[in-house]
């Protein structure tokens, strides 16, 4: 592949890749594999070549790439009416990418505005000879080779303990595609509010485990304290005793960066609502989006509206409707096979016959007792 870099000397470019879309692994370094790193001296917005070992993609497979640089790369605005940035009969380059802030660390905060990269891909056509050429570990598909066309044909296998079939099953704690972590991301903002704190609710559509938040802060040094409660914030917005503190940390940010809020796992059952309050000594980023839910997937809803809070913790807030900017990470609970000891039937008290009394068993005629 090639990417277009901005001008500058000693621009170290590192490239990572992963199977599937970047959306559910954007801030999780463990989900990626580094495939390239090199330094470039660039003038006149040159294209540079990124070489890596061959990656085989069977029809329908999505592969994601992350190009990180110590300087800048060139990007453009995506076409809002077309999901494909470019394509031919064999390959689609999907349109909307994720543009990390200039000052962000790797796998860190990103611009709230979607961007598309500038560059190209080279590929060779893949032709199978036998079924083993079509095998993809963890794909949960039965793949066979059509020797007439050289193409792999696949069928989804809905079998137990098959990582990749979209079902979180026993023994799949390491299967990210089935059990997570997953992210639900709020819309960004262009004209932003900057309250000192935000309260908001999330609702579990199915049983889930909340693991972390990412919240967009305004620029500057900022002490962030996060509280949570097992109910809607609207019932307890002025009552500090009803909340539990789960996080506190100092951040120094610029350009409205996302920061990671990690806390002990919070288990939610289907229908549960959990409130969060992000309090700061600086400002958080918020928007006037009134959509409810603010964002959601099949397991989690980020409810709207939120509540902008002033500089006094658990005090007065904004009178207008505002919503927070960031994302929530969660996992699905991995089922466990119950282990129970076999129950024993009660032992009846033994009956000792009394030789002095006649038996109550009827003896057939013709037999001696």
């Amino acid at each position: 592949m090639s990417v277009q870099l901005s001008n500058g000397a000693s621009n170290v470019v590192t490239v990572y890749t992963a199977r599937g879309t970047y959306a559910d692994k954007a801030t999780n370094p463990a989900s990626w594999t580094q495939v390239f790193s090199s330094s470039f001296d660039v003038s006149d917005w040159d294209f540079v070549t990124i070489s890596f070992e061959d990656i085989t993609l069977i029809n329908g497979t999505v592969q994601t790439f992350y190009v990180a640089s110590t300087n800048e790369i060139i990007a453009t605005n995506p076409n809002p009416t077309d999901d494909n940035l470019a394509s031919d009969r064999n390959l689609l380059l999907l349109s909307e990418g994720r543009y990390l802030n200039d000052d962000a660390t790797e796998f860190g905060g990103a611009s709230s505005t979607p961007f598309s990269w500038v560059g190209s891909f080279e590929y060779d056509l893949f032709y199978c000879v036998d079924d083993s050429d079509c095998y993809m570990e963890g794909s949960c598909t039965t793949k066979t080779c059509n020797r007439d066309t050289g193409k792999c044909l696949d069928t989804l296998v809905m079998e137990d303990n098959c990582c990749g079939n979209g079902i979180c099953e026993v023994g799949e704690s390491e299967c990210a595609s089935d059990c997570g972590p997953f992210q639900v991301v709020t819309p960004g903002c262009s004209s932003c509010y900057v309250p000192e704190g935000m309260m908001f609710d999330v609702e579990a559509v199915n049983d889930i485990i909340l693991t972390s938040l990412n919240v967009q802060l305004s620029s500057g040094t900022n002490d962030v304290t996060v509280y949570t409660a097992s109910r809607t914030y609207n019932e307890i917005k002025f009552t500090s005793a009803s909340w539990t503190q789960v996080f506190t940390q100092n951040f120094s940010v610029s350009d409205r960066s996302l920061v990671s809020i990690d806390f002990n796992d919070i288990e939610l059952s289907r229908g549960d609502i959990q409130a969060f309050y992000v309090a700061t000594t600086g400002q958080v980023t918020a928007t006037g989006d009134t959509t409810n839910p603010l964002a959601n997937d099949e397991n989690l809803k980020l409810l709207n509206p939120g509540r902008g809070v002033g500089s006094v913790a658990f005090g007065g807030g904004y009178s207008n409707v505002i919503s927070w900017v960031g994302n929530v990470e969660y996992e699905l609970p991995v089922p466990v096979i119950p282990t129970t000891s076999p129950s024993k039937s009660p032992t009846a008290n033994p009956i000792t016959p009394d030789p002095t009394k006649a038996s109550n068993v009827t003896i057939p005629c013709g037999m001696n007792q």
Side-chain angles (χ1 to χ4, degrees):
M1 65 182 292
S2 69
V3 295
Q4 191 176 23
L5 301 181
S6 183
N7 297 339
S10 302
N11 189 348
V12 178
V13 176
T14 306
V15 178
Y16 306 84
T17 191
R19 187 76 80 208
T21 176
Y22 72 83
D24 61 356
K25 56 182 71 69
T27 58
N28 184 9
S31 298
W32 299 78
T33 300
Q34 180 180 320
V35 293
F36 178 87
S37 185
S38 186
S39 178
F40 297 96
D41 295 327
V42 174
S43 61
D44 199 25
W45 290 11
D46 294 335
F47 286 87
V48 299
T49 300
I50 309 297
S51 301
F52 44 78
E53 292 185 4
D54 292 351
I55 300 173
T56 301
L57 303 183
I58 307 300
N59 48 299
T61 304
V62 175
Q63 189 79 13
T64 189
F65 290 86
Y66 169 29
V67 181
S69 75
T70 56
N71 193 358
E72 294 175 327
I73 63 176
I74 305 301
T76 184
N77 292 320
N79 184 343
T81 62
D82 193 350
D83 291 336
N84 299 331
L85 177 63
S87 63
D88 65 10
R89 60 183 298 182
N90 300 304
L91 181 66
L92 300 178
L93 307 184
L94 302 182
S95 180
E96 185 172 307
R98 183 174 188 266
Y99 184 89
L100 272 68
N101 294 327
D102 295 340
D103 61 342
T105 57
E106 289 187 350
F107 305 100
S111 169
S112 59
T113 304
F115 284 88
S116 297
W117 66 291
V118 178
S120 64
F121 260 100
E122 292 187 2
Y123 67 88
D124 294 323
L125 290 179
F126 170 79
Y127 293 98
C128 64
V129 176
D130 55 41
D131 292 350
S132 63
D133 294 334
C134 300
Y135 172 74
M136 293 180 64
E137 184 177 359
S139 66
C140 283
T141 57
T142 298
K143 296 182 181 289
T144 56
C145 177
N146 184 325
R147 294 170 177 78
D148 294 332
T149 63
K151 293 183 178 181
C152 295
L153 307 177
D154 59 290
T155 304
L156 184 65
V157 179
M158 300 300 286
E159 61 185 24
D160 290 344
N161 302 320
C162 179
C163 182
N165 66 357
I167 304 171
C168 188
E169 299 166 299
V170 174
E172 291 191 343
S173 59
E174 302 299 321
C175 179
S177 62
D178 289 354
C179 301
F182 305 107
Q183 275 191 351
V184 180
V185 182
T186 73
C189 67
S190 52
S191 298
C192 302
Y193 297 97
V194 281
E196 285 80 1
M198 279 295 305
M199 292 181 178
F200 56 89
D201 294 332
V202 303
E203 180 181 353
V205 179
N206 294 302
D207 294 355
I208 60 172
I209 303 170
L210 301 179
T211 57
S212 66
L213 306 173
N214 288 285
V215 179
Q216 192 176 59
L217 301 181
S218 188
S219 304
T221 300
N222 208 330
D223 292 329
V224 177
T225 305
V226 178
Y227 305 85
T228 192
S230 300
R231 64 183 76 181
T232 175
Y233 75 81
N234 203 41
E235 298 175 353
I236 53 173
K237 55 190 174 185
F238 300 120
T239 311
S240 60
S242 298
W243 298 78
T244 301
Q245 180 180 316
V246 292
F247 179 89
T248 186
Q249 186 173 323
N250 176 268
F251 295 96
S252 182
V253 301
S254 61
D255 198 23
R256 296 178 178 171
S257 297
L258 282 171
V259 297
S260 181
I261 309 296
D262 296 314
F263 44 76
N264 292 334
D265 292 352
I266 300 173
E267 297 183 6
L268 300 183
S269 298
R270 180 178 182 178
D272 285 352
I273 291 179
Q274 190 77 16
F276 288 92
Y277 171 30
V278 181
T280 77
T281 57
Q283 294 171 320
V284 297
T285 302
T287 179
D289 195 324
T290 60
T291 305
N292 188 35
L294 180 63
N296 67 287
D297 66 7
E298 62 185 3
N299 298 305
L300 178 65
K301 295 178 183 179
L302 310 187
L303 302 181
N304 216 11
R307 179 176 185 265
V309 184
S311 57
V312 178
F314 304 100
Y318 281 49
S319 59
N320 53 324
V321 174
I322 60 175
S323 54
W324 67 293
V325 177
N327 60 67
V328 177
E329 291 193 1
Y330 72 90
E331 298 175 356
L332 297 178
V334 179
V336 177
I337 298 176
T339 55
T340 57
S341 301
S343 59
K344 296 181 179 180
S345 301
T347 302
N349 293 328
I351 300 174
T352 304
D354 187 344
T356 64
K357 297 181 178 179
S359 170
N360 61 359
V361 177
T362 302
I363 299 176
C365 182
M367 296 182 63
N368 293 325
Q369 185 173 359

